[in-house]
């Protein structure tokens, strides 16, 4: 058996799907994407497949991963690691189908029967979060996540801090103490404001503060963690175990959030999670993406003892034109009950992609880019 062909599909709202085909007719799916840089990732995937993987035996996943990563002198970063991630997901999907087993069985078997998920509320510039929180809890979710703030100056006003505190207060009042609330700083907050915001939010007992500073400033995390009782989370813009090694060794975080479509795929996510387990750090994989990425995350969550909760993008504010379930032949595989999703038992990733729908959607013009925000003085702000 060898890899004979591949196709890439850019589909709305902002996703990229990879289809790998083998000589015995099997198909594996992956989701290699950097949101807003899909054309660039397409080129990177084509280089990996055309230069190396076409004609190769797909079962040697670890060897292929090492060759894709170490075979180039320049390594890491979002584009290469996302390209590797999508290929790796597709290879695991193929391997599961070859052996008639879900991926988590090939990775050691279940550590749990279902995976807790959280639901986004509030949008990029968070608003109307109290009512939205109540609606999602009424729909069965027991954990929510929201952005803490819109754009902030490096040192901003007391009013900006109060606005953020008022929003989480509204959510806490709406849902009570039985519901967890994650608060995403999204790298928008400079170090002086992190301390002020954390102190203002602490009375409302967030589940975690996510990406309190940009990953370029991860050296600030130990001091931030020491200054608050709120658990600290980060990792969506970190791309390999070597990136995570530094924050784990520094005792800088309580929860890591590697992205299975950015951080080297299923193979690398599992290794990162195992590293974190040794440091008593939990894992909540980042996944505001499509069904293939979500299925890949759940396969790893299922066999990972320190997996805490899973992000998923159903009804997220980015999915205005298309949503996760639209691309599945059987959407019930991601049926959320009581804030959990069952671990899929099907072969490979455990999902069946509606290829006809994928091809229809790929005919559309997909050109998503994140907004460029500016401060009142015209300078560029963090989105």
């Amino acid at each position: 058996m060898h890899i004979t062909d591949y196709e890439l599909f850019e589909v709305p709202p902002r996703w990229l799907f990879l289809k790998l085909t083998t000589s015995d007719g099997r198909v594996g799916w992956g989701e290699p994407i950097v949101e807003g840089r899909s054309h660039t990732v397409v080129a990177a995937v084509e280089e990996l497949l055309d230069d190396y993987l076409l004609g190769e035996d797909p079962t040697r996943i670890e060897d292929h991963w090492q060759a894709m990563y170490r075979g180039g002198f320049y390594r890491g970063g979002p584009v290469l690691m996302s390209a590797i991630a999508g290929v790796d997901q597709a290879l695991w999907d193929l391997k599961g189908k070859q052996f008639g087993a879900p991926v988590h069985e090939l990775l050691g078997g279940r550590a749990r029967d279902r995976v807790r998920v959280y639901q986004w509320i509030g949008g990029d510039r968070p608003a109307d979060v109290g009512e939205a929180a109540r609606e999602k809890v009424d729909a069965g979710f027991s954990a929510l996540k929201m952005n803490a703030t819109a754009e902030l100056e490096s040192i901003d006003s007391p009013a900006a801090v109060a606005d953020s505190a008022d929003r989480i207060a509204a959510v806490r009042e709406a849902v009570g103490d039985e519901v967890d609330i994650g608060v995403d700083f999204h790298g928008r907050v400079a170090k002086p404001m992190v301390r002020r915001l954390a102190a203002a939010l602490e009375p409302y007992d967030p589940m975690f503060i996510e990406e309190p500073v940009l990953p370029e400033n991860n050296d600030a995390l130990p001091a931030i963690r020491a200054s608050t009782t709120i658990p600290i989370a980060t990792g969506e813009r970190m791309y390999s175990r070597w990136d995570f090694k530094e924050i784990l060794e520094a005792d800088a975080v309580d929860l890591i959030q590697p992205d299975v479509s950015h951080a080297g795929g299923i193979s690398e996510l599992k290794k990162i999670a195992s590293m974190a387990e040794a440091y008593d750090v939990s894992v909540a994989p980042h996944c505001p993406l499509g069904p293939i990425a979500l299925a890949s995350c759940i396969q790893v969550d299922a066999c990972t003892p320190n997996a805490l909760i899973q992000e998923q993008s159903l009804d997220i504010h980015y999915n205005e034109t298309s949503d996760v379930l639209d691309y599945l032949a059987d959407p019930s595989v991601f049926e959320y009950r009581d804030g959990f999703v069952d671990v899929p038992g099907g072969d490979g990733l455990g999902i069946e992609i509606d290829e006809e729908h994928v091809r229809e959607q790929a005919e559309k013009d997909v050109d998503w880019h994140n907004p460029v925000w500016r401060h009142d003085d015209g300078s560029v702000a963090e989105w």
Side-chain angles (χ1 to χ4, degrees):
M1 181 172 60
H2 58 276
I3 299 170
T4 57
D5 198 11
Y6 71 90
E7 292 181 86
L8 288 156
F9 305 93
E10 295 184 67
V11 296
R14 55 179 193 161
W15 303 331
L16 177 65
F17 296 167
L18 166 66
K19 176 188 176 184
L20 282 186
T21 304
T22 62
S23 55
D24 62 353
R26 288 193 181 93
V27 169
W29 290 89
E31 192 169 335
I33 185 61
V34 175
E35 302 92 298
R37 294 288 183 268
S38 60
H39 302 337
T40 311
V41 179
V42 165
V45 173
E46 289 174 343
E47 287 178 342
L48 292 175
L49 291 167
D50 291 341
D51 294 348
Y52 174 65
L53 274 178
L54 280 181
E56 295 292 325
D57 176 358
T59 64
R60 299 183 60 181
I61 298 176
E62 181 62 29
D63 186 64
H64 294 325
W65 198 100
Q66 295 293 329
M68 289 187 291
Y69 180 81
R70 298 169 62 191
F73 185 75
Y74 298 99
R75 305 170 185 175
V79 173
L80 175 61
M81 297 306 289
S82 297
I84 291 174
V87 174
D88 181 83
Q89 292 165 17
L91 292 175
W92 278 108
D93 194 26
L94 284 167
K95 190 149 196 164
K97 291 170 180 174
Q98 177 187 2
F99 287 98
V103 168
H104 66 263
E105 291 291 352
L106 304 182
L107 294 174
R110 295 188 186 194
R112 56 179 48 81
D113 297 321
R114 57 182 188 163
V115 176
R116 194 179 183 206
V117 296
Y118 64 76
Q119 176 66 41
W120 265 94
I121 57 171
D124 264 346
R125 289 187 170 97
D128 303 321
V129 286
E131 182 59 31
R134 194 176 295 108
E135 290 176 0
K136 297 304 182 185
V137 171
D138 289 345
F141 291 96
S142 63
L144 309 169
K145 190 169 83 171
M146 57 185 282
N147 279 309
T149 181
E151 58 268 56
L152 276 187
E153 295 283 0
S154 57
I155 298 178
D156 216 313
S157 67
V161 176
D163 284 346
S164 293
D166 289 347
R167 279 189 291 271
I168 192 171
V171 174
R172 181 59 73 202
E173 181 179 356
V175 302
D177 291 336
E178 297 298 318
V179 174
D180 287 314
I181 308 167
V183 182
D184 191 355
F185 282 26
H186 213 251
R188 297 172 182 170
V189 186
K191 287 187 289 185
M193 294 302 295
V194 170
R195 295 193 297 271
R196 291 169 60 188
L197 275 177
L201 300 185
E202 201 162 44
Y204 308 105
D205 203 11
M207 186 181 189
F208 54 79
I209 289 173
E210 178 174 335
E211 213 175 35
V213 291
L214 293 165
E216 298 93 311
N217 297 322
N218 276 347
D219 59 298
L221 288 176
I224 291 169
R225 182 169 180 260
S227 72
T228 181
T229 63
I230 304 172
I232 300 299
T234 197
E236 69 185 69
R237 288 186 274 188
M238 299 167 66
Y239 309 112
S240 72
R241 75 199 87 150
W242 295 281
D243 291 343
F244 283 92
K245 178 177 71 170
E246 295 181 3
I247 61 170
L248 293 172
E249 289 179 343
D251 196 21
V253 292
D254 303 285
L255 180 67
I256 58 167
Q257 300 166 305
D259 189 308
V260 75
S261 283
H262 301 330
I266 290 170
S267 298
E268 190 71 351
L269 177 58
K270 181 60 176 168
K271 291 174 183 177
I272 291 167
S274 294
M275 286 174 59
E277 184 185 3
Y279 289 89
D280 195 22
V281 170
S282 299
V283 181
H286 180 256
C287 190
L289 296 171
I292 303 168
L294 179 58
S296 298
C297 286
I298 292 172
Q299 292 295 332
V300 177
D301 293 332
C303 58
T304 298
N306 54 326
L308 178 70
I309 197 166
Q310 179 59 55
E311 180 173 25
Q312 54 82 35
S313 72
L314 189 65
D315 296 329
I316 199 172
H317 44 286
Y318 305 120
N319 296 359
E320 294 178 352
T321 58
S322 198
D323 217 325
V324 176
L325 304 182
D326 298 343
Y327 292 98
L328 295 175
D330 179 12
S332 68
V333 71
F334 292 146
E335 183 177 337
Y336 304 132
R337 292 188 296 271
D338 302 322
F340 290 83
V341 63
D342 290 338
V343 176
D347 298 346
L349 295 180
I351 58 173
E352 182 182 350
I353 294 296
D354 184 345
E355 186 171 335
E356 182 179 351
H357 183 70
V358 169
R359 292 185 181 280
E360 289 173 357
Q361 294 299 302
E363 295 297 321
K364 297 181 178 180
D365 183 24
V366 182
D367 193 26
W368 186 89
H369 296 282
N370 64 257
V372 177
W373 286 356
R374 293 185 180 271
H375 295 297
D376 291 340
D377 66 359
S379 60
V380 176
E382 291 291 342
W383 171 73

